[in-house]
Amino acid sequence: MNNRELLKIIATEEIRDQSELLKKIKNRGFEMTQSTLSRRLNKMGIRKKHGVYIAPNSPDITFSSLIKRIDEAPPNLLVLHTPPGHASALAYKLDYMSANDPESTSSNFGTTNDDTGFYEIVGTIAGDDTVFVVTRPGQLENLKRKIIELWK
C-alpha cells in the first residue's frame, strides 16, 4: 500500500486504533504488520487527535459532529445543514478530501467509483450553518450515499 492510499483512508474515515486501520488495509487487498504500520504512520506525520488518526495539515473535524441533516436539490446540489458556525469547517473538509482524492482528476470524469473519495464534488459554498455541494452530472446520489456512510 502506498502512502497516498494510506492518507486517503485516514482522511476519509474516523480510525481510532491501528488494529482498525490494519483491517481497512487488509480489506483493500494489502498486508502490513502492526510494527510496519506504526513506523509508517510516524514517518508520514500521522497522529491521533481527540482519539482519531489525522493526516498532517488536515482539517481537524469529523463528519459525525458537523452534519445535522442532508437535503437534495436535484439535479446536482446537496444541501448539508450543520450546527451554527460550522458550515465553513465542513466545506473545507469536503474540499480538502476532494482535492486530495487521486480519483478527482478530470480524466476520471463520468466514472463511477465505490471508494470513499469525493471525485463527485465540483465545489462547495458555505454559509453559517449550510453548505451547498455542487456535484458532477449524474453523481448526486453517489455522493449522498458516501457522505451518509461517513456520517454514521
Side-chain angles (χ1 to χ4, degrees):
M1 168 168 275
N2 65 36
N3 289 350
R4 173 178 262 172
E5 292 173 34
L6 186 56
L7 278 172
K8 188 174 183 179
I9 294 171
I10 297 293
T12 59
E13 301 187 39
E14 292 184 24
I15 306 295
R16 300 196 180 281
D17 58 49
Q18 288 185 9
S19 63
E20 184 180 349
L21 184 53
L22 283 169
K23 286 179 190 175
K24 301 281 184 187
I25 291 168
K26 187 174 183 175
N27 288 342
R28 291 178 182 229
F30 299 96
E31 292 292 327
M32 187 179 296
T33 65
Q34 187 276 328
S35 59
T36 300
L37 176 61
S38 183
R39 284 191 302 273
R40 175 126 16 130
L41 293 174
N42 188 40
K43 192 173 192 178
M44 293 172 63
I46 296 171
R47 65 195 188 291
K48 262 187 161 178
K49 190 162 188 178
H50 305 295
V52 177
Y53 282 103
I54 62 169
N57 303 320
S58 68
D60 182 21
I61 55 176
T62 62
F63 281 93
S64 58
S65 65
L66 290 179
I67 300 174
K68 290 173 49 178
R69 190 176 84 234
I70 300 173
D71 293 319
E72 289 183 34
N76 66 335
L77 188 65
L78 275 181
V79 182
L80 307 177
H81 302 274
T82 72
H86 289 81
S88 290
L90 179 59
Y92 180 76
K93 177 80 169 175
L94 291 169
D95 288 339
Y96 174 85
M97 292 170 69
S98 178
N100 288 290
D101 180 0
E103 302 297 325
S104 67
T105 63
S106 60
S107 64
N108 290 315
F109 180 77
T111 62
T112 57
N113 182 345
D114 288 334
D115 208 354
T116 55
F118 288 125
Y119 68 95
E120 300 92 344
I121 295 176
V122 174
T124 62
I125 300 172
D128 180 58
D129 62 356
T130 305
V131 178
F132 291 160
V133 183
V134 180
T135 66
R136 298 187 189 284
Q139 295 298 316
L140 181 68
E141 287 300 320
N142 199 33
L143 179 62
K144 182 179 177 183
R145 179 185 51 78
K146 287 180 180 182
I147 289 175
I148 288 172
E149 283 297 312
L150 291 173
W151 184 23
K152 291 180 180 178

